[in-house]
Each structure stands twice: as C-alpha cells, then as structure tokens.
Amino acid sequence: MPANETAPPAKKKGRRARLIVLVLVLALFAGLGYGAYWGVDSVRASFPQTTGSLKVPGLTGTVEVKRDDHGIPQLYADNDDDLFRAQGFVHAQDRFWEMDVRRHMTSGRLSEMFGSGQVETDAFLRTLGWRQVAQAEYDTKLSPETKKYLQAYADGVNAYLKGKSGKDLSVEHAALKLSDGYQPEQWSPVDSVAWLKAMAWDLRGNMQDEIDRALMSSKLSTAQIDELYPPYPFDRNKPIVEGGKVEGGKYAPQTSGATGSGSGSNGTGSGNGTALGSPASTGPAATGTGLADNATAQGATVGLRNQLTALAATLDKVPAILGPNGSGIGSNSWVVSGKYTTTGKPLLANDPHLSPQLPSVWYQMGLHCRTVSAQCQYDVAGYTFSGMPGVVIGHNAEIAWGMTNLGADVTDLFLEQVKPEGYVYDGKVLPFTTREEVIKVAGGDSKKITVRTTNNGPLVSDRSEELATVGTRAPVASSAPDRGDGYAVALRWTALDPGKTMDSVFKLNRAKTFDDFRKAAADFDVPSQNLIYADNKGLTGNIGYQAPGRIPMRGQGDGRMPAPGWDSKYAWKGGKDGNAGYIPQSEMPWDSNPSRGYIVTANQAVVESGTGAGKYPYLLTTDWGYGARSQRINDLIEAKIKDGGKISTDDMRTMQMDNSSEIAALLTPMLAKIEVSDPGVRAAQKLLDGWNYTQEPDSAAAAYFNAVWRNILKLSFGDKMPKELRIEGSCMNVLGNGTGPADDLAKTVRECGTRGSDSAQPDGGDRWFEVVRRLVKDEKSQWWSSPRTLTQPETTTRDELFARAMKDARWELTAKLGKDQSTWSWGRLHQLNLKNQTIGTEGPGFMQWLLNRGPWNLGGGEATVNATGWNASSGYGVTWVPSMRMVVNLNDLDKSRWINLTGASGHAYNSHYTDQTTMWAKGELLEWPFGKEAVEKATVDTLTLKPEGS
C-alpha cells in the first residue's frame, strides 16, 4: 500500500462493497490460497502475443508489428486502413482495460462496471452529454476520410476482442466476469471520439477559479479576492508571442523572421464578436460580472454557497483522466532554431503535466507506411492515446510538434432563474430542452434521470440534492429578477458544441510544412492548446507556434464569476444557426521563426490583451499560469546561447529536469534573517545556509523550505479561506456568522473544511508565488495576521508569521521524517505512487498492493521546470507529473529521445508495466528509432498480422 495513501471516504461504501468482491476474485487469480495454477494461468492469459503471426479480419495485406526491448511497437502497412486497423488491434492487446474504463467514463456508464458508487458521477457526465456530442461530431462534422480511419481502428479493436472474455483480456476483466458475468461490448468509432471530451474536460481552463472566487465572496471582500488573483506580470515573465496585431481579419506576428502565407486563416469563426475596450465588454483586469458587484454589502448567499460547494464536490468526483484542474495542470514545450543548436537543425522538447496513473495516459508507437503514397499517407511516430487512432504528439519524417495547455477561458457558469414551466430569459419564461437518461447499475436497480438544458447549457445543479434548493439571498445586483424558488447553475462550455478535432489529428500527422500545420491547427477545436512546430527544411530548419481552439466572445462580463443567465447581455455572442461566436481562427495568435531564435510555451500568457499598440484585441482569459516555469526556460536558453553558445539534445534533457524553485529564491534570504531562539528551529534554519534553491530528491534544505512554504500559506491564507475551499477535515474555531437562529456573532463555532485534496486552497502553485511576491513588500499586511494558539503567539507582521511557520515546519518534519535532520530529504516527503485505474484507486489496501506500484522519491516541485506538482493544502505527495518527456532532433530523427511515465503494457504483471518509470524518475531518456534501419536494429519481437484466408 502506498506510503501516503488514506482510506476511501465513507460516502463510497457501495462501490467499496463491490470492490471487496473483486479483491477476493483477484486473490484467487494471484494464487493466494488457491494454488499457483490460477496465478500463472490467469495473469499470463491476457499478455499479448508479440511474435509469430495472427490473422486479423478486415486486413487486405500484412502488417508487421516490431517491438523493441521496452515493448514499444512500430507498425508497418501498405495502406491507411490496414495501418489504423492494426493500431486498434495493438492498443487493445496492451491496454484494453484502460480503454474499456475510459469509454464507460466518457459515456456516463461506470455504474455498469463498478456498481452504485458511480451513479452520481455517471449522472453528472450524462448531464454534460459527452457521448451525445461525440455522436453528433461523428455524424455531422468529421470528414469521410476520418470516419473511415475511425471505423478501421474500431474493427481492429473488435478483431482483438473476438472470442475473448474475462482472463483473456485482463486480470481486472477476469474479476468482473466472475463477480457478475461482465462481458465487454464491441468498440465503436464514437467511443474513440468521446475520449476527446475527457481530454477537453481536464484541460477546460478556469472553471475551478470561477467557482472558488464566488465561494471566497462569502468571507473575503472583492479587494481581497483580487489580491489573491493578481494580474499577470508581463513586465517580468514574457508571453509566448510578443507584439503582433490583428489587421484585416488576420493576425500578423511582429517578428522580423516571420514566414508563412497565413494559409491557416481559413479557420472557422464568425468574426462578429466584441473586442476589448468596446462598450459592451470588459478589459482583462476587470472583475465585475454583475453578480459580485455588491457581494461585500450583501454577503454571499447561503444557498449559492451550498450550490457552488456541491458543484465543486461533484467536480472532484469526476475521474480526472489527465489531472487535477488547477494551477498545476499544464505542460512545458519549447523549440530552438537550428541557428542555436549543435545539430544545425531545430530541437523540440515537450513534457505534458498530467495526473500520474498506471498505466500512463500515453502509449508510444510508430505508424509507418512501407511506401508513402496516396493509398498510404503516414510515416509518423510519437505518443498516442489508447482508444484513439493516430499520433497526438510526435513527429513525422519532415516536421515535429508539441502541445501545452493554452488555458483559455472556455467555460462559464450561469445562474438561472427557474420556474416550474421553464427558465427566465430577458423577462420571458422559456421551456427547458429535456431528455431522459437511464443509468444501469451492476448488482442494483437502474436509475432514471432527467437532464434539463437552457440556452446557456445543461443544468449541472440538477445532479445534487444539495443543489435542489437555492438560497434566499445571492450576491447579485438589485436589478436581478425575483428569486422564486431559487437559482440553478448552467454550464456553457465550448466542448459541448460538435467540432472537428479528430480531423485535426490526422492532418497534423500528415503535415509537411508550416502552412500544413496551421491548416491542421484550424480544426483543433477543443481543448485549446499551444501548438509548437519545427521542420527540417532549408539550412537551419523552421520553428513556429499556433494558438488554435474555440475561444468564446462574450457580451458583458469577463468569465471570472458566475454570470446572470437571465440577461442576454451576458450571453456568448451569437453566431450562425444560434451557435456561439468564437474568435476567428485567422485572428488567433501565431508566430514563425522569431528573431530571438526560440519559442517557449509553458502555460504562461499567450499575448498581452488590451487596447494599446502591440496588444491583442480579444480576451483569451484572465487566469493564465503566472510564467514561473516559462521564464525559467527562457532564462536557461538565453544563458546557453549568449556569446555564441549552442544547445544540444542533452542540454534540452537537462533543462527538462531543472529543479530550481523561484519562490525559494525569493523567500530564503528573508527566512535566513529571522531571529530564532528555539535551538531545534535554528538548526533547521541553518539547512538553508548556502542552499542553491534546487529541489533535488536528497536535499534536506528543499524538504525544510517546502515545509516552511506550506505553513506560510496555511497561516496567511488557508485559515482565512471559507470552509468550502479548505482541505476536507481541517477544522478550526471561528465566530458564528449570525445567519441561523442558534448562531450568534460572538459564539465560537467549530468549522471544518470540505474540499477534496486535488483542489483545496491554497495549493501553492505559481499564482501563490505571485501573491506572496507582491505582499512581502508590506510587512504589516492584514494577511500576515494569525491568531494565538495554545503553542504559538499571535502574529501581526510578516516576520512574526514567517518565524511561526519555521517553527511549525520544524516540528512537522520531525513528526514525518524524524528528529535527526541528517536523514531528512525532499524525496522522502515528495513521493510518487502510481495507481491502477479505478480498481487500484479506491479499493482496500490489498487490492492497491496487488495492482499499484511505488513509491518513488522525486525531486522537482510546484512551478519548476521538472514539474512534479503537490498541493500545499493537502500534503507533499506528488499529484501531477511530466507524463512523458521527448526531445526531437530534426537533423537526425533517429537521435531523438523519449520516455514514458510507466510502460507500454497495462497488464499488471507484464515486464513492461512500469519498466520506464525508474528511468523517468532519474531524468533518463530512451533512444527513439524512426527510420526503417534504426527500427530494425532495435527490434526484439516481430508479430505479423495477416488477412483472414491468407
């Protein structure tokens, strides 16, 4: 059982009861008490055949599957259909359990596999309607070619499934089959498309910030909330694109080396939205939406707080396939021109930061046509998603590309005034659009729900009893309509409109030039990503950047707080056929061959929005990452290339493992000056003497500093947060608020936090770096006040609070790591535990021991380039990681390097289950063969897939 694991909450008893049955079955398969025969037979039965030959229905020719000594496959075929049919077959060989769980999640059908404990999650996902949107995309948006590939892929998965069940598929499927006869159904093309909705959900932008700001209004003033969400520091941390302007319906980069015809300008978008600075919009620093204007005067409503709290709790239960959606979620990518590399051609690095899981969300693979032609168009390798055809991130023979989350604000919450007959909109009552959904439950009765939708989206508040009644007061302007029975909450989200992202994936795989790349990006609707580019053309190659995606154009409001759904002035600007209007793709920022010679994207601001010269006229978001990682990468590159220096492939790898802490560099000199009388605390303080602010896994100084940082955040901000944002179980005494008959303003009340560990605040990300950076200049800020406790005096100044945090940190580490400071290390606190999807996540300890792996002691941390994230409210355990790392060498693709978080296999006892993890933890990269000779040299197993009848 992982060292930092806790027991599942009591609310999941139904699911746990079912999982206990699975434990007993898995015990049988592990041979525990039932003989070795069951263990060997059942574990190995699902391992893929990797040598010899197999017949696959639907193939028209042979496909070779060449695997290296880490089980990574390279596929060779003579036509596109055979290539993608084989990809589906091979994905299913290694990862079908993962694929099966994902499709049940995206369609809101987890209860069919895991019982009643998943009904609430299924109901929420059915309300969002991911599966319906995916079906609409397949039916109405995707090209015939894409649909053909999706069908071929599905046929390959089904060819693998034919005649298999239970232990033939996985140990987990064996358990389900024995417990209730579960048999997987056939794979469909829409199963693959629906996966894009999960990807978009986890990378959806600032929805959590929107909820958090609204909840903060119950306890903090508007000015205080603004202090906790400071503006982006453009003066210190560079945006991705500097300069540039929108002119004549197109974005024009302001770079001396820019090239490209702008052929990506044929993207969709109505172009009739409101630009910043016009009368109907707000600027990027604005905070008012009409809802919070008088929040301080009226106070937040109890009902609205309950509603948003319940919504936040529901969001916490939705499986985060890619990672917790907060300040941590992001990625690093950068590309350096051949002018500044030792190879003479570009080098491109990428490491997406996602939730650690087992197996990794990524699957490494090569898709090769033996001869590239009109019938067989692909020669590409990189990182794929099991369950979806094509390569998501990687390179072909001519270009390479990477992705990071752009972080655009693509979701808005709308308060809706509801009545029995419908909802209010511009003074009229409009009928809901409704549909019924039946949730089948393994081992229980089905549950029927009704989904109600307004013109602002589905009512997500319908999915919780807590949300059934809205409060009697709300922080809304006096012009708000009569509350009636209260307000509901609707979600407007770009991913709920059908799009063409699946088309974009195949176009990226085939692209040969920057123009091709931009045309492909124009279809990358959701999630909105930063796409970087490199090619091997010309003397030094080319580098580029494109911001794609649907970004809504709002009327009034800036998306920072829930908007009044009854007022059309706050709706997203209307486009054709009643669809939302989006920023035209032709006006989205891009860049090519900038004069500085490199491009860095690490979730910082894309551009500086505003109305002045050189500013972007549209609002993408106000909730960027704050640029700590991106500026560190900029600085590392600049330091390397100054005075004629060159960057090598190994330099790129070294940068990916940079552990430097920006907040440590700011605060450590201040901490060193604090007068400390306690000898134990003084000894800990001395650990910081001469420390270079790097967070290596064996560093005692990093352990102590991060403990001090965590306690600074708790004392200055955490204890001042409303309970809805504090970590579940953290309790404190507060004065009564006078809202109930038994309350009195002078009465002490015991108040405990309710927020889940992934999204509790303060989380310690680079937003909090920026908050503290601004506040440390004011030594008597109200935030430095902390009340007296039984063991600590009251604090009123910065240094008093810092001294208290240093003492608390010393004794916290004594309890966690022991009294002897010589044994302290950051890695002992900061551990990675990998959990098998679903069963290994919430099962009892034995099941976790059976399927999970770890711990690994890691370096890095929050907002470092080596981004091994942790939430300061909940502890030091790793919550998100660089889910893979790659460095592409455009001069010699066979000298590119890659690594995955886990391994190719999803089978718990296969040798490739976690065979890359230790190397990943050390920052090592594997060779990445691409050319036929290099692949042949690396091949240890060859499987030939043949047509039936051959």
Side-chain angles (χ1 to χ4, degrees):
M1 187 171 182
N4 63 348
E5 186 60 39
T6 57
K11 60 190 174 187
K12 297 186 178 177
K13 286 182 180 176
R15 180 170 176 179
R16 286 194 64 195
R18 179 170 170 76
L19 291 178
I20 288 171
V21 175
L22 300 183
V23 170
L24 299 178
V25 177
L26 286 170
L28 180 147
F29 286 131
L32 301 177
Y34 288 86
Y37 168 77
W38 281 105
V40 173
D41 176 64
S42 299
V43 168
R44 292 183 178 176
S46 60
F47 286 8
Q49 180 178 332
T50 59
T51 60
S53 64
L54 287 170
K55 292 184 179 181
V56 176
L59 286 179
T60 61
T62 62
V63 180
E64 293 174 298
V65 182
K66 297 178 178 292
R67 295 178 184 260
D68 65 12
D69 58 359
H70 286 91
I72 300 170
Q74 306 274 349
L75 278 54
Y76 289 86
D78 291 320
N79 62 72
D80 293 339
D81 284 359
D82 281 357
L83 190 61
F84 293 117
R85 185 173 282 105
Q87 185 182 20
F89 187 92
V90 173
H91 272 166
Q93 278 190 306
D94 280 330
R95 297 285 191 91
F96 186 69
W97 170 256
E98 174 190 18
M99 293 164 62
D100 203 13
V101 170
R102 279 185 186 169
R103 68 165 163 179
H104 279 80
M105 189 272 284
T106 58
S107 58
R109 296 171 53 207
L110 286 170
S111 299
E112 294 179 20
M113 296 182 79
F114 304 110
S116 60
Q118 287 300 298
V119 168
E120 188 175 342
T121 296
D122 283 346
F124 184 77
L125 294 172
R126 297 283 187 99
T127 298
L128 294 182
W130 291 356
R131 178 75 184 195
Q132 284 87 348
V133 179
Q135 186 71 57
E137 288 184 356
Y138 184 80
D139 292 341
T140 67
K141 293 291 185 179
L142 299 181
S143 70
E145 182 180 56
T146 294
K147 293 167 76 169
K148 183 177 70 168
Y149 295 159
L150 287 164
Q151 186 62 60
Y153 181 90
D155 290 344
V157 175
N158 293 328
Y160 175 75
L161 293 179
K162 187 177 181 180
K164 293 183 177 67
S165 65
K167 67 180 181 180
D168 299 325
L169 296 172
S170 71
V171 169
E172 297 93 334
H173 279 108
L176 287 181
K177 185 172 179 62
L178 280 191
S179 62
D180 66 3
Y182 175 80
Q183 177 66 32
E185 62 195 38
Q186 294 280 287
W187 193 267
S188 79
V190 181
D191 290 333
S192 296
V193 179
W195 162 238
L196 291 170
K197 299 301 143 187
M199 180 181 175
W201 176 255
D202 283 346
L203 301 175
R204 63 191 178 272
N206 78 335
M207 184 173 169
Q208 193 68 60
D209 289 326
E210 190 173 336
I211 293 171
D212 288 355
R213 280 189 288 260
L215 292 172
M216 285 179 187
S217 67
S218 69
K219 198 167 183 179
L220 304 175
S221 69
T222 300
Q224 289 173 317
I225 295 172
D226 286 346
E227 283 189 294
L228 301 186
Y229 289 87
Y232 184 88
F234 286 99
D235 60 332
R236 191 174 67 255
N237 296 341
K238 296 177 183 178
I240 297 171
V241 178
E242 298 178 78
K245 60 183 176 181
V246 173
E247 193 171 68
K250 294 183 179 181
Y251 183 86
Q254 196 173 55
T255 55
S256 60
T259 62
S261 64
S263 59
S265 62
N266 60 345
T268 60
S270 62
N272 62 348
T274 304
L276 289 175
S278 62
S281 74
T282 60
T287 59
T289 64
L291 277 175
D293 291 342
N294 64 341
T296 304
Q298 291 189 4
T301 92
V302 174
L304 181 60
R305 284 177 62 190
N306 288 343
Q307 193 158 0
L308 292 174
T309 300
L311 176 58
T314 301
L315 297 181
D316 277 343
K317 295 173 189 174
V318 177
I321 294 276
L322 300 182
N325 189 270
S327 65
I329 196 74
S331 305
N332 299 324
S333 70
W334 66 95
V335 60
V336 182
S337 167
K339 294 184 295 184
Y340 298 109
T341 67
T342 59
T343 66
K345 290 290 174 68
L347 294 172
L348 185 150
N350 196 187
D351 55 282
H353 306 157
L354 305 172
S355 178
Q357 58 185 268
L358 183 59
S360 164
V361 71
W362 299 110
Y363 184 96
Q364 295 149 290
M365 179 178 271
L367 300 173
H368 306 279
C369 290
R370 294 188 180 99
T371 301
V372 177
S373 65
Q375 289 73 40
C376 200
Q377 305 174 73
Y378 296 88
D379 188 17
V380 62
Y383 294 86
T384 70
F385 287 140
S386 302
M388 198 177 94
V391 171
V392 179
I393 295 174
H395 70 80
N396 58 33
E398 298 177 77
I399 79 161
W401 70 95
M403 298 184 190
T404 63
N405 195 24
L406 191 148
D409 186 358
V410 296
T411 59
D412 276 343
L413 296 174
F414 286 88
L415 292 189
E416 303 285 358
Q417 188 199 21
V418 297
K419 294 180 178 295
E421 63 274 23
Y423 61 99
V424 175
Y425 192 74
D426 282 348
K428 298 178 181 179
V429 178
L430 303 180
F432 293 109
T433 300
T434 62
R435 69 176 189 275
E436 286 193 345
E437 297 274 353
V438 177
I439 300 172
K440 297 179 181 178
V441 182
D445 296 332
S446 297
K447 180 177 179 179
K448 182 183 292 185
I449 65 169
T450 299
V451 178
R452 299 188 295 172
T453 301
T454 74
N455 54 12
N456 289 316
L459 290 186
V460 290
S461 56
D462 279 352
R463 298 286 73 87
S464 169
E465 292 180 7
E466 236 181 317
L467 303 179
T469 302
V470 182
T472 58
R473 292 186 295 134
V476 294
S478 58
S479 59
D482 176 62
R483 290 174 177 81
D485 291 332
Y487 296 130
V489 177
L491 172 64
R492 190 77 172 93
W493 178 32
T494 56
L496 298 185
D497 292 335
K500 299 192 292 182
T501 301
M502 200 70 243
D503 283 348
S504 177
V505 171
F506 294 113
K507 289 180 180 179
L508 282 172
N509 287 198
R510 297 192 303 261
K512 299 179 183 299
T513 66
F514 189 52
D515 283 351
D516 293 342
F517 172 79
R518 294 192 65 214
K519 288 177 181 177
D523 288 335
F524 207 100
D525 296 316
V526 293
S528 186
Q529 297 287 285
N530 296 306
L531 297 179
I532 61 167
Y533 167 93
D535 68 34
N536 53 18
K537 307 291 192 300
L539 186 62
T540 59
N542 299 289
I543 64 174
Y545 165 82
Q546 177 68 59
R550 293 175 174 160
I551 316 296
M553 295 189 291
R554 296 169 175 83
Q556 291 188 14
D558 58 10
R560 285 172 56 88
M561 297 279 273
W566 51 81
D567 189 340
S568 63
K569 292 194 295 294
Y570 290 88
W572 290 5
K573 302 292 287 185
K576 295 180 180 179
D577 304 321
N579 293 323
Y582 303 112
I583 298 173
Q585 183 63 34
S586 61
E587 299 183 21
M588 290 289 285
W590 63 279
D591 206 352
S592 178
N593 293 329
S595 57
R596 64 182 176 274
Y598 61 89
I599 299 170
V600 174
T601 84
N603 318 115
Q604 78 271 42
V606 173
V607 292
E608 186 171 4
S609 298
T611 56
K615 294 187 177 181
Y616 189 62
Y618 297 107
L619 179 63
L620 299 179
T621 186
T622 62
D623 290 309
W624 303 111
Y626 281 80
R629 282 181 286 111
S630 63
Q631 193 56 45
R632 175 63 176 171
I633 297 168
N634 275 310
D635 292 344
L636 289 171
I637 294 173
E638 287 286 350
K640 193 70 180 178
I641 66 176
K642 72 177 182 179
D643 301 324
K646 302 282 187 177
I647 293 176
S648 68
T649 301
D650 197 56
D651 290 331
M652 300 285 274
R653 182 199 66 81
T654 300
M655 291 177 192
Q656 287 180 324
M657 295 302 295
D658 183 80
N659 286 328
S660 178
S661 170
E662 180 185 86
I663 195 63
L666 173 69
L667 296 185
T668 299
M670 299 180 189
L671 298 175
K673 296 177 182 178
I674 302 290
E675 292 288 339
V676 175
S677 57
D678 186 305
V681 180
R682 176 60 186 146
Q685 186 184 37
K686 282 185 173 296
L687 291 173
L688 303 178
D689 291 348
W691 180 44
N692 64 356
Y693 318 129
T694 59
Q695 301 168 102
E696 300 300 330
D698 61 355
S699 171
Y704 182 59
F705 173 79
N706 281 314
V708 174
W709 170 237
R710 180 176 184 234
N711 280 278
I712 287 173
L713 291 170
K714 177 182 182 295
L715 294 169
S716 53
F717 308 107
D719 291 347
K720 299 177 181 67
M721 292 284 171
K723 64 181 181 180
E724 295 87 357
L725 271 68
R726 297 202 313 273
I727 186 72
E728 185 176 9
S730 63
C731 300
M732 56 189 295
N733 294 324
V734 298
L735 291 178
N737 58 17
T739 59
D743 288 331
D744 185 272
L745 286 175
K747 183 178 178 181
T748 299
V749 177
R750 188 70 169 164
E751 185 182 84
C752 297
T754 62
R755 181 62 68 85
S757 59
D758 280 347
S759 56
Q761 293 295 331
D763 61 18
D766 67 352
R767 172 166 68 88
W768 293 100
F769 289 14
E770 192 64 23
V771 169
V772 171
R773 180 188 297 278
R774 290 166 176 264
L775 289 176
V776 290
K777 301 171 186 176
D778 181 1
E779 296 185 25
K780 296 184 179 180
S781 167
Q782 60 182 336
W783 296 105
W784 305 131
S785 64
S786 186
R788 177 179 175 274
T789 69
L790 292 176
T791 58
Q792 293 276 40
E794 176 187 12
T795 70
T796 58
T797 69
R798 181 196 67 194
D799 287 355
E800 288 174 352
L801 185 137
F802 281 13
R804 181 166 165 180
M806 291 170 69
K807 184 175 182 179
D808 287 350
R810 172 63 171 93
W811 302 119
E812 180 188 359
L813 294 197
T814 297
K816 291 179 181 295
L817 301 179
K819 187 175 181 180
D820 183 358
Q821 292 177 183
S822 68
T823 67
W824 290 3
S825 70
W826 175 226
R828 286 180 61 200
L829 282 177
H830 192 52
Q831 293 185 327
L832 169 68
N833 287 281
L834 294 173
K835 299 182 180 182
N836 180 279
Q837 269 194 198
T838 308
I839 289 183
T841 300
E842 294 177 12
F846 169 75
M847 184 177 293
Q848 297 188 24
W849 172 83
L850 194 68
L851 298 176
N852 298 345
R853 300 292 182 269
W856 285 266
N857 295 347
L858 299 186
E862 280 287 336
T864 62
V865 182
N866 182 22
T868 56
W870 55 286
N871 187 308
S873 288
S874 55
Y876 304 96
V878 176
T879 59
W880 48 271
V881 294
S883 56
M884 60 80 157
R885 297 186 184 100
M886 74 175 193
V887 178
V888 181
N889 181 336
L890 272 297
N891 183 59
D892 186 346
L893 293 169
D894 290 329
K895 292 183 179 178
S896 300
R897 298 290 183 265
W898 62 354
I899 198 79
N900 204 352
L901 173 64
T902 59
S905 181
H907 300 289
Y909 299 97
N910 188 280
S911 61
H912 303 308
Y913 192 47
T914 58
D915 62 336
Q916 297 185 51
T917 308
T918 298
M919 291 179 287
W920 171 93
K922 294 177 180 178
E924 298 173 1
L925 298 176
L926 298 174
E927 292 184 357
W928 181 355
F930 179 73
K932 191 168 185 179
E933 289 184 9
V935 170
E936 192 64 41
K937 183 178 178 181
T939 297
V940 297
D941 286 333
T942 299
L943 172 69
T944 302
L945 304 179
K946 297 181 177 180
E948 282 188 319
S950 62

